Amino acid sequence: FLNKSEWVLQIIQWLEVTINCITNKWSIHHCYKILNDSYIWQDLYSKEARVFWMHNTGPIGCLPVATIKVQNPELGYLDDHGCVKSQNHMAVRFNKKLKHSIIQLRAELSEFTITYVDMYRAKYDLIRNAKEQGTLLSNQGQWTVTSES
């Protein structure tokens, strides 16, 4: 048997697996299978876990790994903010299914509290409204944030 800190670490790793399915190029079907595995939830329940925080995946089409090598993209390949459209569409589809799965889990496991956090929207809003967030300026190794307004 695992001690409490070991199984908490396993829970965190398992939940992180569900969030990173797309970036690891696993099949979406495999990801939902992990999320909906009743054995995992029963095991968590038996270990007295009752409260969960789950966030969706962010706009993966905006990650540097997705955009750094893009040169002369075809019209429509990138969105207005320089993000790969198809990857962000995939993330949005994944997030919709994830949210639906969590709604189902809430209904089936009423003794659990499952909080869903929309990280996609939070991160994409930062990207979309970058100019309103200010600009980083370097002054001899010290960074300051300035606002254009």
Side-chain angles (χ1 to χ4, degrees):
F1 289 102
L2 299 174
N3 67 38
K4 192 170 188 172
S5 62
E6 289 172 325
W7 65 259
V8 166
L9 183 58
Q10 281 191 349
I11 292 167
I12 291 169
Q13 290 171 339
W14 171 75
L15 293 175
E16 196 61 27
V17 163
T18 65
I19 302 310
N20 288 316
C21 282
I22 294 175
T23 56
N24 290 326
K25 297 182 180 176
W26 293 350
S27 76
I28 289 179
H29 175 72
H30 178 72
C31 296
Y32 298 124
K33 188 175 179 184
I34 292 171
L35 180 63
N36 293 314
D37 187 339
S38 62
Y39 170 78
I40 293 171
W41 291 104
Q42 290 169 0
D43 190 45
L44 294 173
Y45 185 85
S46 73
K47 293 179 170 81
E48 300 181 16
R50 300 293 186 275
V51 179
F52 300 92
W53 177 81
M54 296 180 78
H55 65 83
N56 62 14
T57 193
I60 59 174
C62 300
L63 293 173
V65 71
T67 61
I68 196 137
K69 294 183 181 182
V70 175
Q71 295 179 2
N72 302 319
E74 292 181 23
L75 185 63
Y77 183 77
L78 300 175
D79 68 11
D80 294 339
H81 311 291
C83 302
V84 179
K85 278 184 179 181
S86 62
Q87 291 183 6
N88 280 349
H89 287 306
M90 182 173 34
V92 168
R93 285 193 315 270
F94 174 83
N95 290 341
K96 284 180 182 178
K97 289 185 177 185
L98 176 66
K99 188 173 184 178
H100 178 73
S101 293
I102 290 171
I103 290 168
Q104 285 181 311
L105 284 170
R106 285 178 180 153
E108 294 169 15
L109 307 168
S110 60
E111 61 277 3
F112 285 1
T113 300
I114 305 173
T115 301
Y116 175 80
V117 179
D118 189 352
M119 293 301 290
Y120 183 97
R121 178 175 287 177
K123 290 178 179 182
Y124 198 73
D125 281 350
L126 286 172
I127 294 164
R128 186 175 55 226
N129 300 310
K131 288 183 180 180
E132 288 83 28
Q133 304 303 323
T135 308
L136 284 176
L137 297 176
S138 176
N139 183 11
Q140 298 175 354
Q142 295 181 343
W143 292 92
T144 58
V145 177
T146 62
S147 178
E148 293 183 13
S149 45

